[in-house]
Amino acid sequence: MVELERYKWPIISIIVIIGVLMLMIAIGFMLGILSEDPDGLERALIDIRSEEWLEGLASPWEPILGWIDNDYIAGIIGILLTIFLIIAVFSLISHISKKMKSKNE
Amino acid sequence: MHIPDGLLDPVTTVILWIVAVLVLIIAFWRLNILFQDEESERLIPYIGVLAATIFAFQFVNYPVPGGTSGHLVGGTLVGVILGPWAAVIVLFMVLVVQSLFGDGGITALGANTFNMGVIGGIVGFYIVKALLLIFNKTELKKEIKVPIATAIGSYIAIVLAAFICGIEIGIGGIIPMDIAIAAMVFWHVLIGIGEAIISGLIVWFVYKTKPELIITEKMLGVA
């Protein structure tokens, strides 16, 4: 049984911070303060070659979530997916380390 | 800084994948030791939130003069808060999610993990640690000197990662190495200012609100 009381504050913190992050992305897009310009690597490649060349680079796969063209929705899905994956990975690490510890004792 | 598919040559791609996987295995093993402590699992939700913060900050591009934009990489920031090994795993997972959206290539995931996780997280962390050796000789409080060291360390790490990224691209031969390095370093000398400010402010904010989240104080020599 999961002790909910023990995780009360971490869970509240998670919800509050997710809310703040979503608000940050929403306000950023709404006010237009976020730049649509290419980032450092893209800019360097465009300067040396061209934008068409950069867009034409061959990729062995089509990104699974590449069909989401709304940046705000992509941001929210990405935030939730990241939290889920990280909690899963670190819970696995914690589970394995406790198992190893009890084996050694 | 997210290298797309098709930019690196196959040998560089494979070598950087091997290096990234080896570092991830070491990180997994090192974190096993940390998580043997009963209380450590209470950190997991916060690690998730920190990773989501890195994702969100990598998602928002701030304008940089000259028609380009920058975003936080966050390797050094995570390294200072959670330690260098956790930083590699966090950055790898963030990069995996981003590659699902097409931001950074799937074949280049090893290279991106090396540049942002290993250079940003591990090298950045030890730059911060070295800076704190100097700052420890001053009267500055840790709430001030750690954020300042993080800002400077983040800046150096991002420019170094850009330099290494230029070398990786240059090895492929699609772009001459000297031109790739010069262009990458030039733009990231500007972009790094944003990285430094955001990283320093976040560490300062964590010190103000929940200082126990910075679990590296002993490693950094400020405990």
Side-chain angles (χ1 to χ4, degrees):
Chain A
M1 187 70 183
V2 181
E3 302 164 64
L4 272 182
E5 186 60 30
R6 193 175 176 209
Y7 294 101
K8 192 175 103 183
W9 285 108
I11 291 168
I12 291 172
S13 309
I14 285 179
I15 293 167
V16 169
I17 292 175
I18 290 173
V20 170
L21 292 177
M22 286 175 177
L23 198 69
M24 182 183 87
I25 292 176
I27 291 173
F29 283 123
M30 224 155 54
L31 297 181
I33 53 168
L34 302 181
S35 176
E36 293 289 328
D37 288 333
D39 71 9
L41 173 60
E42 290 167 346
R43 169 55 64 197
L45 293 172
I46 290 168
D47 287 350
I48 298 163
R49 293 282 183 126
S50 68
E51 203 165 345
E52 293 74 37
W53 175 85
L54 181 62
E55 282 166 7
L57 283 172
S59 176
W61 80 319
E62 192 65 39
I64 297 164
L65 299 174
W67 54 272
I68 303 171
D69 48 14
N70 183 311
D71 286 341
Y72 183 58
I73 292 171
I76 292 169
I77 292 173
I79 287 170
L80 296 176
L81 205 55
T82 305
I83 289 181
F84 173 76
L85 280 176
I86 286 286
I87 289 179
V89 167
F90 279 87
S91 297
L92 180 71
I93 294 174
S94 174
H95 177 74
I96 291 171
S97 59
K98 291 209 169 45
K99 224 174 176 180
M100 279 168 59
K101 192 185 173 189
S102 61
K103 228 178 199 178
N104 290 338
E105 282 170 357
Chain B
M1 179 96 62
H2 295 68
I3 299 175
D5 286 321
L7 193 59
L8 301 178
D9 72 312
V11 177
T12 310
T13 304
V14 171
I15 290 172
L16 290 173
W17 257 112
I18 292 169
V19 173
V21 169
L22 285 176
V23 175
L24 283 166
I25 291 169
I26 297 169
F28 199 83
W29 179 72
R30 293 291 294 258
L31 285 175
N32 261 336
I33 300 166
L34 171 76
F35 276 95
Q36 283 187 356
D37 176 15
E38 279 299 318
E39 286 301 301
S40 60
E41 65 183 31
R42 292 181 68 166
L43 280 173
I44 294 171
Y46 293 113
I47 298 173
V49 166
L50 184 63
T53 307
I54 299 298
F55 178 90
F57 271 95
Q58 286 202 1
F59 200 76
V60 292
N61 283 35
Y62 51 83
V64 173
T68 189
S69 67
H71 61 75
L72 181 83
V73 169
T76 308
L77 169 66
V78 183
V80 167
I81 296 175
L82 297 174
W85 302 107
V88 180
I89 295 182
V90 167
L91 263 289
F92 174 73
M93 297 310 293
V94 168
L95 288 167
V96 167
V97 174
Q98 286 173 336
S99 71
L100 299 179
F101 291 97
D103 195 7
I106 195 84
T107 58
L109 200 50
N112 286 328
T113 304
F114 181 78
N115 297 340
M116 291 184 245
V118 178
I119 308 280
I122 299 177
V123 178
F125 174 83
Y126 284 102
I127 294 170
V128 173
K129 190 175 171 163
L131 288 167
L132 284 169
L133 283 177
I134 302 165
F135 291 167
N136 282 344
K137 291 173 185 159
T138 67
E139 296 288 305
L140 287 172
K141 285 183 181 171
K142 67 179 177 185
E143 294 82 353
I144 300 294
K145 64 186 174 190
V146 177
I148 292 173
T150 304
I152 300 170
S154 301
Y155 184 81
I156 297 170
I158 198 88
V159 176
L160 183 64
F163 177 78
I164 303 284
C165 185
I167 293 175
E168 291 160 4
I169 295 167
I171 289 171
I174 292 176
I175 294 162
M177 191 175 291
D178 54 340
I179 296 173
I181 292 172
M184 282 302 289
V185 171
F186 172 76
W187 286 112
H188 285 88
V189 161
L190 296 174
I191 290 168
I193 297 169
E195 176 88 12
I197 294 170
I198 297 170
S199 301
L201 282 177
I202 290 179
V203 171
W204 176 80
F205 180 74
V206 174
Y207 258 119
K208 285 277 170 200
T209 54
K210 206 155 177 59
E212 65 270 24
L213 272 188
I214 299 177
I215 60 171
T216 56
E217 284 193 332
K218 259 188 192 166
M219 282 176 84
L220 288 170
V222 291

